[in-house]
């Protein structure tokens, strides 16, 4: 005899949240009957007690699903209605900001920034103010000084010539009279140079302004070494061959130069070096100088004695030796001094 299997009980519906029974709350009864009996609710518990406990602990039960509803008692305690969202989910409503408020805030920010900049740069600004004041004072002083210096308060009222021996200082001062009345910083140096070039004895010069009204001209004169005879007379020249004066007769106090090759030759250059090396005590006794080359310079003294000089090498030493020898043996007692070799002087 075949037994028919008993039909299975229908699946139990899942218990809703808040109900007093769950799928585990079954009664150990007849398993085959499939009857699920709800458990009695605990004394003092309420359907919303689990929700309140979760709200206090900040958690969520494992059985709470995404569709669970918030506890009604909690909503009632917060004063919201049953459909109101939680207090944490309420977003503040943004109020519109006007252009005037934005402009005022921007201006206040700029003022604050300027105040901070001024506070932190006060030392730098003071230093800059000191520099500007100092530079301004210097510029003012320089401007006033320039204005006074270029004014008639510092005009030339006197020209004084210093260093003129063979030149007539008064004649030079009269020639420079065109500078009178000119402010000292505006003295025309080119005009002064043109004027002094008319005086052959002027070798060089310097200008010195002495405020408030004096202009000093310091002159270095050319030193004549002798006179060269020519068809037209005699020309007084210096060591560079510059003609300082001309006359038809031999000039007094100047030796006559007999030099082969003229002023442009080596012989004349050697004569010039020898004459410039002579001390005044010997130079005043020289009446004539002759040279056919740069190595045979010969001097003639007033006593008609001769000095064989030779070349212009070691002229300073030869001059000292000759001066010593002439002091021991005067020229009127000697016919010839040979100093061409200063280490071995020959006297005849």
């Amino acid at each position: 005899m075949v037994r028919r299997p008993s039909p299975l009980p229908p699946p139990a519906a899942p218990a809703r949240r808040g109900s007093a029974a769950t799928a585990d709350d079954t009664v150990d009864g007849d398993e085959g009957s499939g009857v699920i009996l709800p458990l009695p609710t605990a004394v003092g518990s309420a359907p919303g007690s689990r929700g309140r406990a979760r709200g206090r602990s900040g958690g969520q039960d494992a059985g709470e699903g995404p569709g669970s509803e918030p506890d009604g008692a909690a909503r009632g305690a917060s004063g919201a209605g049953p459909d109101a969202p939680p207090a944490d989910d309420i977003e503040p409503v943004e109020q519109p900001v006007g252009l005037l408020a934005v402009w005022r805030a921007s201006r206040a920010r700029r003022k604050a920034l300027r105040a901070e900049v001024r506070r932190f740069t006060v030392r730098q600004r003071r230093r800059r103010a000191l520099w500007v004041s100092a530079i301004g004072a210097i510029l003012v002083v320089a401007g006033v000084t320039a204005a006074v210096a270029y004014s008639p308060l510092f005009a030339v009222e006197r020209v004084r010539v210093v260093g003129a021996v063979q030149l007539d200082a008064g004649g030079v001062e009269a020639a420079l009279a065109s500078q009178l009345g000119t402010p000292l910083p505006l003295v025309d140096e080119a005009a002064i140079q043109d004027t002094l070039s008319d005086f052959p004895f002027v070798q060089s010069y310097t200008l010195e302004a002495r405020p408030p009204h004096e202009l000093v001209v310091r002159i270095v004169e050319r030193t004549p070494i002798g006179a060269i005879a020519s068809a037209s007379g005699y020309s007084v020249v210096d060591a560079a061959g510059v003609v300082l004066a001309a006359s038809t007769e031999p000039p007094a106090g100047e030796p006559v130069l007999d030099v082969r090759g003229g002023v442009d030759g080596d012989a004349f250059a050697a004569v010039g070096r020898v004459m410039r090396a002579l001390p005044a005590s010997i130079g005043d006794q020289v009446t004539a100088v002759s040279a056919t080359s740069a190595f045979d310079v010969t001097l003639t003294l007033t006593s008609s004695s001769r000095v064989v000089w030779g070349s212009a090498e070691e002229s300073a030493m030869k001059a000292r030796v000759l001066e010593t020898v002439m002091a021991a043996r005067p020229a009127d007692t000697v016919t010839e001094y040979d100093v061409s070799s200063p280490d071995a002087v020959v006297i005849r």
Side-chain angles (χ1 to χ4, degrees):
M1 176 176 174
V2 180
R3 297 183 63 181
R4 181 179 299 174
S6 302
L8 296 176
R16 292 186 306 170
R17 183 176 180 81
S19 61
T22 62
D24 297 332
D25 299 332
T26 57
V27 179
D28 297 335
D30 187 5
E31 295 181 0
S33 63
V35 179
I36 300 174
L37 298 178
L39 295 176
T41 305
V43 180
S45 63
S49 61
R50 291 171 59 96
R52 287 193 299 272
R54 287 194 304 272
R56 285 192 297 268
S57 61
Q60 184 176 4
D61 285 346
E64 185 175 2
S68 60
E69 298 178 358
D71 187 12
R75 290 194 303 271
S78 63
D83 297 333
D88 296 340
D89 297 339
I90 300 177
E91 297 181 358
V93 180
E94 296 183 358
Q95 297 294 333
V97 180
L99 293 177
L100 181 59
V102 173
W103 177 77
R104 288 177 177 174
S106 177
R107 185 177 63 175
R109 182 174 179 274
R110 289 195 298 270
K111 287 183 177 180
L113 288 177
R114 285 196 296 268
E116 289 298 315
V117 170
R118 286 194 298 269
R119 184 166 67 91
F120 284 103
T121 59
V122 59
R123 183 176 300 178
Q124 181 179 0
R125 287 186 286 109
R126 288 177 180 174
R127 189 183 302 112
R128 187 186 301 121
L130 290 176
W131 277 105
V132 171
S133 301
I135 294 174
I138 292 174
L139 292 177
V140 170
V141 172
V144 172
T145 303
V148 173
Y150 286 89
S151 68
L153 296 175
F154 288 89
V156 177
E157 294 182 359
R158 179 189 176 189
V159 178
R160 185 161 63 93
V161 176
V162 178
V165 178
Q166 303 180 68
L167 283 173
D168 181 12
V172 177
E173 292 175 358
L176 297 176
S178 60
Q179 301 300 318
L180 296 178
T182 304
L184 289 174
L186 298 179
V187 170
D188 192 351
E189 297 184 8
I192 294 177
Q193 182 178 1
D194 292 339
T195 302
L196 294 179
S197 63
D198 297 335
F199 298 87
F201 275 91
V202 177
Q203 180 177 353
S204 62
Y205 70 93
T206 57
L207 300 178
E208 179 182 348
R210 292 187 177 180
H213 305 295
E214 187 177 31
L215 177 64
V216 177
V217 182
R218 297 186 178 274
I219 293 177
V220 176
E221 293 184 338
R222 297 182 182 275
T223 302
I225 62 172
I228 297 177
S230 62
S232 59
Y234 294 87
S235 299
V236 179
V237 296
D238 66 349
V242 177
V243 178
L244 305 179
S247 63
T248 57
E249 299 294 332
E254 298 296 340
V256 177
L257 305 180
D258 183 11
V259 181
R260 182 179 298 178
V263 296
D264 297 328
D266 295 336
F268 181 84
V271 170
R273 293 177 59 185
V274 171
M275 294 301 294
R276 291 175 66 88
L278 291 176
S281 60
I282 298 177
D284 294 340
Q285 300 181 46
V286 178
T287 59
V289 181
S290 63
T292 58
S293 68
F295 304 99
D296 63 346
V297 179
T298 302
L299 310 178
T300 302
L301 304 180
T302 54
S303 61
S304 299
S305 58
R306 300 171 61 246
V307 178
V308 179
W309 197 274
S311 68
E313 300 296 330
E314 299 180 325
S315 291
M317 184 177 180
K318 292 177 181 179
R320 290 194 299 269
V321 170
L322 178 61
E323 188 175 19
T324 303
V325 171
M326 290 181 67
R329 298 285 299 273
D332 54 358
T333 63
V334 175
T335 304
E336 183 180 276
Y337 298 97
D338 189 348
V339 294
S340 57
S341 179
D343 296 330
V345 179
V346 179
I347 303 174
R348 299 183 180 91

